Amino acid sequence: MFMRKKVSKMDVELQFSGGMELLFDNCKSLKVSLPPECATMRDVIAFTKTHYLKDRPELFVQGDSVLVPVCPYGLLLTAILSAGGGARPGILVLINDADWELEGELEYRVQRGDVIVFISTLHGG
C-alpha cells in the first residue's frame, strides 16, 4: 500500500503598514498558512502577491523582490537590485522585528511563527 507523506503548512503572520495595507484591501495583518514550497522570503513575496495583493502590484514588487528604501546619502548602504538592475524607493521589510538585511533578505528561510512586516516608506505631501 502506498503511504502519502503528510506535508504540513507553515503558519506565519504578515503585517502591512505605512499605507501598504491599502494594497491588501485595507488589511493590516494576515495569519497565513504557507504551503511547503514557500521556503524563502522570495517565495513568500511571490505567494503574497499571488494570493493577497489586491491593487497596484508595481507598488509592492519589483522583479522578484519588494521595493526597498534607498537613502541618497548612504545611510542605508544596501538595496535589493531588481532583475533589471535598478533599485527604487519603497518598502522596509522586518522579520521578527529585525531588518531583513540582517536576516539574508530574499534568501532568508522562513520559520514557523515568523512575523513579517512590510512598511511603506513612500508618503505623499
Side-chain angles (χ1 to χ4, degrees), residues 5-11 33-40 43-44 47 109-110 112:
K5 182 179 177 183
K6 184 176 180 178
V7 181
S8 63
K9 293 189 174 197
M10 187 172 7
D11 295 329
S33 291
L34 297 172
E37 60 271 13
C38 279
T40 65
D43 302 325
V44 170
F47 180 85
R109 305 235 9 123
V110 180
R112 181 173 276 112

Side-chain angles (χ1 to χ4, degrees), residues 48-100:
T48 302
K49 176 185 174 190
T50 301
H51 292 89
Y52 298 105
L53 185 64
K54 303 295 183 197
D55 194 24
R56 310 228 14 221
E58 70 277 7
L59 296 179
F60 181 62
V61 294
Q62 179 178 19
D64 59 358
S65 183
V66 292
L67 300 174
V68 296
V70 177
C71 177
Y73 304 106
L75 297 175
L76 183 57
L77 298 176
T78 60
I80 300 300
L81 296 178
S82 71
R88 292 181 10 202
I91 300 169
L92 174 63
V93 181
L94 302 176
I95 301 170
N96 301 321
D97 294 325
D99 190 322
W100 79 327

Side-chain angles (χ1 to χ4, degrees), residues 20-54:
M20 289 299 304
E21 65 276 10
L22 299 174
L23 305 179
F24 293 88
D25 204 24
N26 289 316
C27 183
K28 290 186 179 261
S29 180
L30 290 169
K31 299 219 184 228
V32 176
S33 291
L34 297 172
E37 60 271 13
C38 279
T40 65
M41 278 299 294
R42 182 184 319 275
D43 302 325
V44 170
I45 291 166
F47 180 85
T48 302
K49 176 185 174 190
T50 301
H51 292 89
Y52 298 105
L53 185 64
K54 303 295 183 197

